Amino acid sequence: MPTSSQLSQMKVDNLSDDQIRQLVGQMKRNNVSYSQIDQYAAQRGIPDTEVAKLKARIQQLNLDRELSGTQTKNDNSLLTDSTSRRYDGQSGDTLYYWQEKYKQLKSKEEFEKELKRRKIFGTELFSNQNLTFEPNLRMATPPNYRIAAEDELIIDVYGYSEVQHKLKVNPEGYVRIPYLGPVYVNGLTMDEAKERITKQLGTIYGGIRTGNTSVQLSLGNIRSIRVTLIGEITRPGTYTLPSLATVANALYVSGGPNENGSFRSIDVVRNGKKMATFDLYDFLLHGDLTNNLVLQDQDIVKVNPYKMRVELSGEIKRPAIFEAKEDESLQQVLDFAGGYTDNSFRDVIRALRVNNKEREFVNIPADSVAAFRLRSGDRFFVDSIVNRFTNRVTIAGAVFHPGDYALEANMTVSDLIKRADGLLEVAATSRGVIRRLKDDFTPAIINFNVLDALAGKENVPLQREDSVIIFSKLSIREQYLVKIDGEVNQPGYFAHGEGMRLEDLILLAGGLKDAASLKHVEIARRIRTGGAYDSTDFRLAITEQFDINADLSTNPSAAEYVLQPFDEVTVRRSPSYKEQANVLVDGEVVYPGIYAINTQKEHISDIIRRAGGLKPEASAEGAVLLRRTFNNQEDSTFLLSKLEIFYNKVKDSIDVERTRATVNRNEQLLGIQLDEILAHPGSKYDLFLEQGDVIRVPKKLQTVQFFGEVYFPKKVRFDKGFTFRNYIRAAGGFTSQALRRRSYIVYANGEVKSTRKMLFFNSYPKVKPGAEIYVPTKPERKGMSAAAVTGLASAVASIALVIVTIINTTK
């Protein structure tokens, strides 16, 4: 993003379209509309000429519509209160935003004044922080400096007599010299005061008359003076300044002339008389400070209103508003502006003049500039030369030195290619293109054979603004790639090269993985018939399979098979390759930890035996097996969608959240009977182990947990003699909303048993240690609405009427 200093030096002609779009994007972020570009540019020091060019470029790229939507409200709409604010989607409907807009409107008049003032030539002198115009208090005392009250004089007597006095001039204008008395110095210059004091000191120092003693007089601390600045000044008033201050110092501390103040007619009034007229242009243009008088106490500096101002813009070095005197011409104002820029069109200067009743445009030829008389308010515009070339031709594309070249007499395409140092090796020589502008500047395309043109068989003459394009073979075709997938270290796409073999592509892919099979490496190739359509051809690809060597040396079976662009290679996994499969045994076993599965038929009992068996405090009945359920995310998503239907049907009798969490973990809790497994190894309960299985053996459990519709859902002590109803009574009994026939138990090993119906009675499952008893809620039953009752009554009445009608008919 360009900084403010870069923006102030910006040349729009040198900016690309992308850079213009970046500037527009920056303006949109700052909520700058198209009508506010002038203010935005002035704040960042962009010259007016560049602003006009910038706006033209923005319109040319149709970007003004984007900025027009940045602030669509008029000034009055911005002053409405918060209740009538509207959000336009871009301008940011926030309190801070509207407060800032209100401040901008409130200071709009001041801003426009400041904007106009900054355009005036010379105002930067009073806003430049590096230029303060502070008086130099360490310089030698000026010869015309007049001594007055409060000045400090340093009298240094040296030679045969050595003495120094620092004396201050009293309000009556005297300095009192020790052993001599008062000496009047008010209004004297330093030379005059030195002569008088030396003469008086000669009466007490005889060496002064003989030349053996000398006297030196210098100025110590200087006095302060009060100067009044009036007229068209930014901050008029009375200022206290050092006695060495000049007119320029006084102007600086007061902010300089305001928007109506003259820079060329600044009067210094002393004791009611005009002492001098200071012209700032003498200093700004020539460095001349001749009339920059040293001010005295009670002096008045008066800045007169300007009499004539004209504005210069366009292709000049210092676009600004200049003040002119009545005897000065346009040429002198051009000199004030530093003259023309290199790109200026000097034949005619256009001027906008305000007459007594209306405005008019004036054309000023170059030979009339020196004699053209100015009128206040004139606005002159120096245009730039057109962005066209008298003899330009361009060549682009597959040549060694593309760019712009001069059109020579009888120049042909062949000559231009030779000027560009010839064709690149990748140049497409069968066809080239010339973009040409016809007489009415509409585009035309001319094609030619590049080889014939170079051989002189096809001489195509060039014209001004022709653009020759030599295409590259690589740019006019799809990028040639080959793909490799499967058991390689870096699968993906690679650039195709002529003569590429299967082993070459595998090397580019980082070589084979450890699991890669050296057999049946498959290559799939696109079908490129290039002929007529054959409805009997159902092929989608041409496939070939090859064997490769482990060291990727050339295999005779694949030696003659060269890869073509867009081939796809697949390296299969070796069918006999097996990676280690591990299971985790956790809990109350002697040696918990991770174990590798030895064979595909290893049972739970085998791994428990390898883990040292169960500890005495282990609960075999509560052991669980966690097993991965899904191979990929698609399987998990599919099952979840099926379970949604299942949840809706049986949500009153299943722990929905618990089941959903298990599915999301991509694992399933399997209820195993570890006591049966250990008692009968290899039985139907003794499952085969799989990769990722987790066996957890808890400590002996001694509690039972309640959930659902009981009065006190809590955890109670397990009692072997208690039945299901005993435990329900221990929890306070069923609530009125309990669905007793759907009660179920989840055992510690994950096994679930539900209540069964035996004739008219409920048969509840057996309770074991660590069990969780779930009592679901009855489904909510809604009564019939008035509309439903009315509908039902109407249906019954209709049926009754039909029956009566049938009976009457059969009689």
Side-chain angles (χ1 to χ4, degrees):
M1 196 64 63
T3 61
S4 297
S5 59
Q6 291 173 335
L7 287 174
S8 62
Q9 301 174 2
M10 179 182 66
K11 293 293 184 184
V12 176
D13 291 336
N14 298 332
L15 297 181
S16 64
D17 290 346
D18 288 338
Q19 290 173 319
I20 296 293
R21 292 187 180 94
Q22 291 178 6
L23 279 175
V24 171
Q26 182 179 357
M27 293 178 189
K28 289 181 65 177
R29 287 190 291 273
N30 292 329
N31 293 314
V32 178
S33 66
Y34 183 77
S35 60
Q36 293 176 328
I37 291 180
D38 292 328
Q39 298 177 6
Y40 179 80
Q43 290 173 349
R44 283 154 179 78
I46 303 177
D48 293 341
T49 54
E50 299 300 324
V51 176
K53 294 179 182 178
L54 178 61
K55 293 173 74 173
R57 287 285 298 278
I58 290 174
Q59 288 182 336
Q60 183 181 359
L61 296 173
N62 293 324
L63 299 175
D64 52 331
R65 298 178 182 176
E66 297 184 19
L67 291 177
S68 298
T70 302
Q71 184 179 359
T72 57
K73 303 175 179 62
N74 56 29
D75 292 347
N76 295 329
S77 65
L78 296 177
L79 294 174
T80 57
D81 59 19
S82 59
T83 59
S84 61
R85 287 182 296 170
R86 293 171 296 177
Y87 179 63
D88 61 5
Q90 293 179 342
S91 54
D93 187 12
T94 62
L95 180 61
Y96 172 78
Y97 172 82
W98 291 109
Q99 286 176 343
E100 290 300 312
K101 287 296 179 185
Y102 179 75
K103 290 179 182 177
Q104 290 177 10
L105 287 173
K106 193 174 181 180
S107 60
K108 186 176 181 180
E109 184 178 352
E110 289 80 1
F111 176 78
E112 290 178 352
K113 282 186 178 180
E114 181 63 21
L115 184 64
K116 179 180 178 182
R117 182 174 177 270
R118 288 191 178 187
K119 289 183 178 181
I120 301 172
F121 178 67
T123 52
E124 70 275 5
L125 193 69
F126 301 101
S127 58
N128 190 345
Q129 297 180 356
N130 298 323
L131 192 64
T132 62
F133 280 105
E134 293 181 356
N136 185 2
L137 303 181
R138 296 184 179 181
M139 68 177 185
T141 306
N144 58 350
Y145 182 79
R146 299 284 178 176
I147 299 172
E150 299 302 321
D151 278 341
E152 183 183 55
L153 298 180
I154 301 175
I155 303 172
D156 192 3
V157 180
Y158 60 95
Y160 282 2
S161 301
E162 294 284 344
V163 67
Q164 187 182 70
H165 303 291
K166 289 185 178 181
L167 308 172
K168 185 171 287 189
V169 181
N170 62 24
E172 287 76 25
Y174 290 90
V175 290
R176 187 174 185 84
I177 301 175
Y179 312 113
L180 181 62
V183 178
Y184 187 78
V185 294
N186 186 54
L188 300 181
T189 64
M190 292 298 292
D191 291 338
E192 293 171 347
K194 178 181 178 182
E195 182 180 353
R196 180 174 295 184
I197 291 173
T198 302
K199 183 177 180 182
Q200 295 293 332
L201 287 174
T203 60
I204 58 175
Y205 297 105
I208 293 177
R209 291 191 299 272
T210 61
N212 296 323
T213 301
S214 300
V215 177
Q216 183 177 1
L217 181 66
S218 60
L219 192 63
N221 294 329
I222 62 175
R223 68 186 183 276
S224 297
I225 60 174
R226 293 181 65 80
V227 178
T228 302
L229 286 94
I230 61 173
E232 300 298 331
I233 199 77
T234 302
R235 294 187 296 272
T238 301
Y239 292 85
T240 301
L241 304 173
S243 58
L244 292 178
T246 62
V247 178
N249 303 140
L251 288 173
Y252 184 82
V253 297
S254 62
N258 60 20
E259 66 274 8
N260 294 321
S262 171
F263 282 72
R264 310 194 64 183
S265 179
I266 302 170
D267 296 335
V268 178
V269 180
R270 183 175 297 159
N271 298 324
K273 296 181 180 180
K274 184 168 72 172
M275 301 300 296
T277 298
F278 182 51
D279 188 345
L280 266 174
Y281 278 26
D282 290 340
F283 169 67
L284 293 172
L285 300 172
H286 311 296
D288 183 6
L289 289 172
T290 303
N291 289 328
N292 189 25
L293 298 183
V294 176
L295 298 174
Q296 295 185 13
D297 193 36
Q298 303 304 320
D299 278 356
I300 297 175
V301 178
K302 180 186 177 184
V303 179
N304 297 307
Y306 73 88
K307 293 184 178 180
M308 184 188 300
R309 276 184 186 165
V310 296
E311 182 177 356
L312 266 69
S313 60
E315 293 298 326
I316 53 175
K317 295 178 180 176
R318 285 195 292 264
I321 298 174
F322 294 91
E323 185 176 348
K325 295 182 179 180
E326 294 188 1
D327 58 343
E328 291 176 339
S329 65
L330 177 57
Q331 181 60 55
Q332 290 171 290
V333 178
L334 282 172
D335 294 338
F336 295 163
Y340 299 100
T341 64
D342 297 335
N343 295 326
S344 61
F345 177 68
R346 309 183 187 188
D347 290 353
V348 176
I349 297 177
R350 290 176 285 165
L352 175 62
R353 171 164 288 180
V354 179
N355 292 322
N356 294 333
K357 293 184 178 182
E358 56 188 4
R359 304 171 186 268
E360 69 171 343
F361 280 99
V362 181
N363 297 327
I364 308 166
D367 55 2
S368 302
V369 171
F372 187 80
R373 309 313 300 175
L374 304 174
R375 184 181 297 177
S376 186
D378 284 352
R379 299 175 65 182
F380 301 95
F381 179 74
V382 179
D383 206 347
S384 60
I385 58 175
V386 293
N387 190 21
R388 294 171 60 179
F389 297 84
T390 58
N391 62 340
R392 180 179 67 173
V393 288
T394 303
I395 187 169
V399 293
F400 281 102
H401 298 287
D404 298 332
Y405 289 86
L407 177 64
E408 300 171 357
N410 302 319
M411 191 178 213
T412 63
V413 171
S414 175
D415 298 330
L416 182 57
I417 294 175
K418 292 175 182 178
R419 289 282 186 274
D421 206 12
L423 302 175
L424 293 175
E425 292 79 0
V426 296
T429 57
S430 60
R431 195 181 192 90
V433 168
I434 301 175
R435 288 179 177 172
R436 174 166 293 173
L437 294 178
K438 297 191 295 186
D439 294 338
D440 58 355
F441 264 64
T442 56
I445 296 294
I446 301 173
N447 61 76
F448 63 95
N449 187 291
V450 179
L451 285 179
D452 289 347
L454 291 175
K457 298 178 182 179
E458 187 177 353
N459 293 322
V460 181
L462 295 178
Q463 298 180 8
R464 182 171 68 92
E465 295 298 333
D466 276 357
S467 178
V468 178
I469 303 175
I470 305 297
F471 295 97
S472 168
K473 296 176 183 178
L474 302 180
S475 64
I476 58 176
R477 72 181 187 193
E478 185 180 354
Q479 185 180 6
Y480 283 178
L481 298 173
V482 288
K483 180 184 178 183
I484 185 168
D485 205 353
E487 298 300 317
V488 291
N489 291 316
Q490 298 173 7
Y493 290 90
F494 295 87
H496 174 266
E498 189 175 348
M500 178 182 279
R501 296 317 198 264
L502 174 60
E503 291 83 359
D504 301 331
L505 180 58
I506 294 175
L507 285 174
L508 291 173
L512 299 171
K513 287 186 177 180
D514 189 49
S517 172
L518 303 179
K519 306 289 186 180
H520 298 284
V521 178
E522 186 171 273
I523 303 175
R525 177 164 293 172
R526 291 183 179 181
I527 297 175
R528 302 184 184 89
T529 59
Y533 171 70
D534 185 2
S535 60
T536 62
D537 188 0
F538 297 102
R539 296 178 302 165
L540 296 178
I542 301 172
T543 58
E544 296 283 348
Q545 290 188 346
F546 300 95
D547 296 341
I548 58 175
N549 298 326
D551 59 356
L552 298 179
S553 58
T554 302
N555 192 310
S557 63
E560 301 301 324
Y561 197 85
V562 180
L563 294 180
Q564 294 183 5
F566 312 111
D567 280 355
E568 296 184 358
V569 178
T570 304
V571 180
R572 310 291 182 188
R573 187 182 183 89
S574 176
S576 60
Y577 186 85
K578 296 289 188 299
E579 295 180 358
Q580 296 90 335
N582 297 316
V583 296
L584 173 64
V585 182
D586 194 14
E588 300 304 314
V589 294
V590 178
Y591 299 105
I594 297 176
Y595 290 84
I597 301 175
N598 288 331
T599 67
Q600 295 181 354
K601 295 186 177 182
E602 187 159 15
H603 293 274
I604 296 176
S605 59
D606 299 327
I607 208 72
I608 294 294
R609 185 167 52 253
R610 288 169 59 189
L614 302 182
K615 291 182 179 180
E617 62 272 17
S619 172
E621 292 182 350
V624 296
L625 172 66
L626 292 174
R627 175 164 290 175
R628 292 183 180 176
T629 309
F630 317 112
N631 294 324
N632 51 49
Q633 184 64 29
E634 288 75 11
D635 293 342
S636 174
T637 305
F638 174 76
L639 183 59
L640 278 174
S641 64
K642 293 298 183 182
L643 283 175
E644 290 295 335
I645 303 174
F646 180 65
Y647 293 156
N648 293 333
K649 291 182 178 179
V650 297
K651 61 184 178 182
D652 57 340
S653 62
I654 192 168
D655 186 0
V656 176
E657 294 302 325
R658 192 173 186 182
T659 306
R660 190 191 301 273
T662 302
V663 173
N664 289 334
R665 287 198 307 269
N666 199 21
E667 59 185 19
Q668 188 171 9
L669 180 67
L670 298 180
I672 61 173
Q673 299 179 13
L674 188 57
D675 50 349
E676 289 290 338
I677 292 173
L678 297 179
H680 304 92
S683 64
K684 64 179 182 178
Y685 303 106
D686 197 4
L687 303 177
F688 292 119
L689 293 173
E690 295 182 5
Q691 163 68 21
D693 282 354
V694 178
I695 300 174
R696 289 199 174 99
V697 182
K699 287 185 178 181
K700 290 182 179 179
L701 305 173
Q702 298 177 316
T703 59
V704 176
Q705 177 72 51
F706 291 92
F707 295 96
E709 293 301 326
V710 293
Y711 281 104
F712 294 100
K714 61 179 181 177
K715 187 176 288 187
V716 300
R717 178 180 57 82
F718 173 76
D719 194 322
K720 190 173 182 180
F722 274 28
T723 63
F724 186 92
R725 287 182 174 276
N726 296 136
Y727 282 108
I728 293 295
R729 281 193 288 271
F734 293 110
T735 67
S736 59
Q737 298 296 319
L739 188 62
R740 303 183 183 189
R741 59 187 175 84
R742 292 290 181 88
S743 300
Y744 63 95
I745 294 179
V746 179
Y747 295 105
N749 65 349
E751 191 177 0
V752 180
K753 287 189 177 180
S754 60
T755 302
R756 292 181 297 170
K757 195 75 173 177
M758 300 291 292
L759 296 178
F760 299 104
F761 304 98
N762 293 327
S763 176
Y764 296 105
K766 183 181 180 180
V767 182
K768 296 180 181 180
E772 296 177 353
I773 298 176
Y774 290 87
V775 181
T777 305
K778 291 180 181 179
E780 183 181 356
R781 294 184 178 180
K782 296 182 179 179
M784 294 182 65
S785 64
V789 171
T790 303
L792 181 61
S794 299
V796 171
S798 299
I799 293 173
L801 180 61
V802 171
I803 293 173
V804 171
T805 304
I806 294 173
I807 292 173
N808 293 332
T809 304
T810 56
K811 285 183 178 181

